[in-house]
Amino acid sequence: MPDTALSPAPEACAGFPIEEALCEIVSNDAVNAEYRLMIARAPEAALRARAGQFFHLLCPATEAGQPFLRRPMSIYRIDPARGEIGFLYKVTGKGTRGLATLRPGEMLNALGPLGRGFTLPADTRHVMILGRGVGLATMAPLARLAAESGAAVTAVLSARSPELVMSRGELEAAGARVIEVVDTDGSSAPEEMEPRLAALHAERAFDYIATCGSNRLFRLARGLARSWGIPGEIALEQHMGCGLGMCYACVIPVALPGGGEEYRRVCWDGPVFTLEEAKGW
């Protein structure tokens, strides 16, 4: 594909160059009543993105106006063989409504990859993924990363109702065992999930937990990780300005190992933090 890089930028936290690039839209279709999946052809730098990183997208103008700031968007799919990246997003405001207007052949201005992604410990053998809503967008590439490292993956997908459960096919294609829990039958309640997950741990022990998209899933994941004595990480969501760590609009308090806390930038120091660092939201 032609060189679509617009301008170079500083080196990303993960050690890869950050580029502002024009990515050609391949598809931008609804997956249910609330979410859309946008696939775009991307330059080589974008295809080196790691699970948990994100891009800062320039959203088109609509009749509601031109969004003033870019929108951070987690990477849902990285497909180097096809030269494509994908974004799963919920249409909620001016920015995402603008993204929803993009059609095949049009161009998306994407800055990235940005932030720090997930880090699987050496010799990880069984990964638990807990995701809800758009948090599942961040989890899908992690399943592929785990599978490539030889680890088994159990993914628990949480949603308000069965028709809003997403990413089953994406995760199963990566080799994950998928379990769906929903609010409508009560199976997504932490008090229902905890014994079920404990039984899975007894069957085949987990040695790493990752979560995104829900404060109550975060608390559940952290409690299980502490109980089982295993590490875990969470991808945090936060409003951002620049996405490059310069404006400090996305700072959050994180816990320090010896006690106390300090403020860190979600866009640059995260968005992935350990379960012990994170304080919820």
Side-chain angles (χ1 to χ4, degrees):
M1 63 182 296
D3 183 6
T4 54
L6 297 179
S7 59
E11 195 169 85
C13 291
F16 301 134
I18 300 169
E19 288 186 2
E20 181 186 16
L22 292 177
C23 303
E24 183 182 355
I25 300 297
V26 175
S27 60
N28 190 11
D29 302 319
V31 296
N32 59 33
E34 296 184 348
Y35 290 86
R36 300 181 71 89
L37 174 59
M38 179 168 58
I39 305 296
R41 294 190 179 92
E44 183 180 352
L47 297 172
R48 290 197 296 265
R50 291 182 56 84
Q53 289 189 292
F54 69 97
F55 282 79
H56 225 199
L57 306 183
L58 186 63
C59 302
T62 66
E63 66 281 356
Q66 173 68 59
F68 181 68
L69 298 173
R70 290 174 179 262
R71 297 297 189 267
M73 197 69 65
S74 298
I75 305 161
Y76 180 65
R77 183 183 298 168
I78 309 166
D79 190 342
R82 299 175 67 91
E84 296 174 351
I85 56 174
F87 302 99
L88 182 69
Y89 64 100
K90 184 176 183 179
V91 181
T92 56
K94 186 187 298 184
T96 48
R97 284 199 298 271
L99 291 177
T101 67
L102 289 170
R103 298 291 180 261
E106 295 183 332
M107 306 303 287
L108 170 70
N109 183 304
L111 177 67
L114 299 169
R116 295 182 183 275
F118 292 102
T119 303
L120 287 178
D123 301 322
T124 298
R125 290 293 172 260
H126 194 188
V127 171
M128 178 191 290
I129 288 175
L130 301 177
R132 182 174 172 94
V134 78
L136 295 168
T138 307
M139 302 282 97
L142 176 59
R144 294 192 179 276
L145 175 64
E148 290 168 0
S149 69
V153 178
T154 297
V156 182
L157 314 183
S158 177
R160 295 197 309 274
S161 59
E163 61 271 17
L164 293 178
V165 174
M166 297 179 295
S167 303
R168 184 182 190 104
E170 191 83 11
L171 290 160
E172 287 181 336
R177 173 174 60 172
V178 174
I179 298 170
E180 297 180 3
V181 296
V182 293
D183 298 353
T184 49
D185 66 6
S187 59
S188 65
E191 59 271 20
E192 295 293 327
M193 292 178 62
E194 186 168 1
R196 188 175 183 181
L197 297 179
L200 292 174
H201 180 66
E203 173 188 312
R204 182 177 183 180
F206 296 101
D207 44 23
Y208 171 85
I209 299 178
T211 187
C212 183
S214 165
N215 205 23
R216 65 180 186 174
L217 285 185
F218 158 66
R219 292 193 296 267
L220 174 61
R222 185 171 62 182
L224 292 174
R226 287 174 175 175
S227 175
W228 299 339
I230 64 174
E233 294 179 304
I234 178 173
L236 293 177
E237 302 166 2
Q238 183 70 305
H239 293 295
M240 297 180 186
C242 68
L244 294 166
M246 296 182 290
C247 71
Y248 285 78
C250 63
V251 294
I252 60 166
V254 299
L256 297 175
E261 63 181 37
E262 69 178 16
Y263 281 88
R264 294 184 187 167
R265 299 159 293 180
V266 171
C267 71
W268 195 255
D269 302 305
V272 177
F273 294 88
T274 71
L275 293 175
E276 292 302 322
E277 289 176 315
K279 299 171 70 68
W281 62 93

